[in-house]
Amino acid sequence: QGLPMKLINATLCLSLVAGLLVVAPAAQAQEQLAASMCDYVKADDKNRFRKLLSDNRLRLRNIYDGVLCDGLSLIRFAVKSNAAGAGEFIIKQLPAAQITASGDIAWAESNHAGSGLIAVLKARAGGGE
């Protein structure tokens, strides 16, 4: 009885390790994509940001909540980085309801009142908060 149990435990252990080896590269790829997005926003490189999404067949609205740059959402990071072009692109890719619910307008007004992206946020949200 002892040998079959050891065999089951060893098989289970190997399965877990194999599973981790498959998941780790996928997680690294996702982290690299997120890091690239942050780099492109910081550099205000709308074209490379758009190409990254296109090349990886990603829709921003589907992944937006999972991407943080320095602990900030992409919109807040764009406002903080004064990335008008990339920020406007991001705002236009998201549903108005998501912009309204995010609190990004109030955050931008209280932290970066001079940002030109505030007007874009308000327009996308329907003219108000």
Side-chain angles (χ1 to χ4, degrees), residues 8 29-30 37 39 48 54 61-63 75 81 102 107 110 114 116 123 126 128:
I8 290 171
Q30 290 173 349
M37 287 182 198
D39 289 343
R48 288 180 75 187
S54 176
R61 66 180 56 201
N62 295 337
I63 63 164
I75 289 176
S81 302
S102 69
W107 179 88
S110 62

Coordinates of all heavy atoms in Angstrom, one line a residue, residues 8 29-30 37 39 48 54 61-63 75 81 102 107 110 114 116 123 126 128:
I8 N 1.4 8.0 -6.3 CA 0.4 9.0 -6.5 C 0.9 10.4 -6.0 O 0.7 11.4 -6.7 CB -0.9 8.6 -5.7 CG1 -1.5 7.4 -6.4 CG2 -1.9 9.8 -5.7 CD1 -2.7 6.8 -5.6
A29 N 4.7 37.0 -19.7 CA 4.3 37.6 -20.9 C 3.3 38.7 -20.6 O 3.4 39.8 -21.2 CB 3.8 36.6 -21.9
Q30 N 2.4 38.4 -19.7 CA 1.4 39.4 -19.3 C 2.0 40.6 -18.6 O 1.7 41.8 -18.9 CB 0.3 38.8 -18.5 CG -0.6 37.9 -19.2 CD -1.5 37.1 -18.3 OE1 -1.4 37.2 -17.1 NE2 -2.5 36.5 -18.9
M37 N 3.0 48.7 -22.0 CA 1.9 49.7 -22.0 C 2.2 50.9 -21.2 O 2.1 52.0 -21.6 CB 0.6 49.1 -21.5 CG 0.0 48.1 -22.5 SD -1.6 47.5 -21.8 CE -1.8 46.0 -22.8
D39 N 5.2 52.0 -20.3 CA 6.3 52.7 -21.0 C 5.8 53.6 -22.1 O 6.2 54.7 -22.3 CB 7.4 51.7 -21.6 CG 8.2 51.0 -20.5 OD1 8.2 51.5 -19.3 OD2 8.8 50.0 -20.8
R48 N 2.6 53.4 -30.8 CA 3.1 52.1 -30.3 C 2.2 51.4 -29.3 O 2.1 50.2 -29.3 CB 4.5 52.3 -29.7 CG 5.5 52.7 -30.8 CD 6.9 52.9 -30.2 NE 7.5 51.7 -29.8 CZ 8.7 51.6 -29.2 NH1 9.3 52.7 -28.9 NH2 9.2 50.4 -28.9
S54 N -3.0 45.9 -30.9 CA -3.4 45.3 -32.2 C -2.6 44.0 -32.4 O -3.2 42.9 -32.7 CB -3.2 46.2 -33.3 OG -3.4 45.6 -34.5
R61 N -10.7 47.7 -23.3 CA -11.8 47.6 -22.3 C -11.8 46.3 -21.6 O -12.3 46.2 -20.5 CB -13.1 47.9 -23.0 CG -13.5 46.9 -24.0 CD -14.9 47.2 -24.7 NE -14.9 48.5 -25.2 CZ -16.0 49.2 -25.5 NH1 -17.1 48.7 -25.3 NH2 -15.9 50.4 -26.0
N62 N -11.2 45.3 -22.2 CA -11.2 43.9 -21.6 C -10.1 43.7 -20.6 O -10.2 42.9 -19.8 CB -11.2 42.8 -22.7 CG -12.4 42.8 -23.6 OD1 -13.5 43.3 -23.2 ND2 -12.2 42.3 -24.8
I63 N -9.0 44.5 -20.8 CA -7.9 44.3 -19.9 C -7.6 45.5 -19.0 O -6.7 45.4 -18.2 CB -6.6 43.9 -20.8 CG1 -6.3 45.1 -21.7 CG2 -6.8 42.7 -21.6 CD1 -4.9 45.1 -22.3
I75 N -5.4 55.5 -17.1 CA -5.8 56.9 -17.3 C -5.1 57.8 -16.3 O -4.6 58.9 -16.6 CB -7.3 57.1 -17.2 CG1 -8.0 56.4 -18.4 CG2 -7.8 58.5 -17.0 CD1 -9.5 56.4 -18.4
S81 N 1.5 61.6 -16.1 CA 2.7 61.7 -17.0 C 2.5 62.8 -18.0 O 3.4 62.9 -18.9 CB 2.9 60.3 -17.7 OG 3.1 59.3 -16.8
S102 N -15.2 55.2 -12.5 CA -13.8 55.0 -12.0 C -13.4 56.1 -11.0 O -12.4 55.8 -10.3 CB -12.9 55.1 -13.2 OG -12.8 56.4 -13.8
W107 N -10.4 62.5 -9.4 CA -9.0 62.3 -9.0 C -8.1 63.3 -9.8 O -7.2 63.9 -9.2 CB -8.5 60.9 -9.3 CG -7.1 60.6 -9.0 CD1 -6.6 60.2 -7.8 CD2 -6.0 60.8 -9.9 NE1 -5.2 60.1 -7.9 CE2 -4.8 60.5 -9.2 CE3 -5.9 61.2 -11.2 CZ2 -3.6 60.5 -9.7 CZ3 -4.6 61.2 -11.8 CH2 -3.5 60.9 -11.1
S110 N -8.5 66.9 -8.6 CA -7.9 67.3 -7.3 C -6.4 67.1 -7.3 O -5.7 67.7 -6.5 CB -8.5 66.4 -6.2 OG -8.3 65.1 -6.4
G114 N -4.6 71.1 -13.9 CA -4.3 71.8 -15.1 C -4.2 70.8 -16.3 O -4.0 71.2 -17.5
G116 N -5.0 68.7 -19.5 CA -5.9 68.8 -20.6 C -6.8 67.5 -20.8 O -7.8 67.6 -21.5
A123 N -15.9 64.9 -21.4 CA -16.6 64.7 -22.7 C -17.0 63.2 -22.9 O -18.1 62.9 -23.3 CB -15.8 65.2 -23.8
G126 N -19.8 62.0 -20.7 CA -21.1 62.6 -21.0 C -21.3 64.0 -20.5 O -22.4 64.5 -20.2
G128 N -20.1 65.4 -17.7 CA -20.1 65.6 -16.2 C -19.5 64.4 -15.5 O -19.1 63.5 -16.1

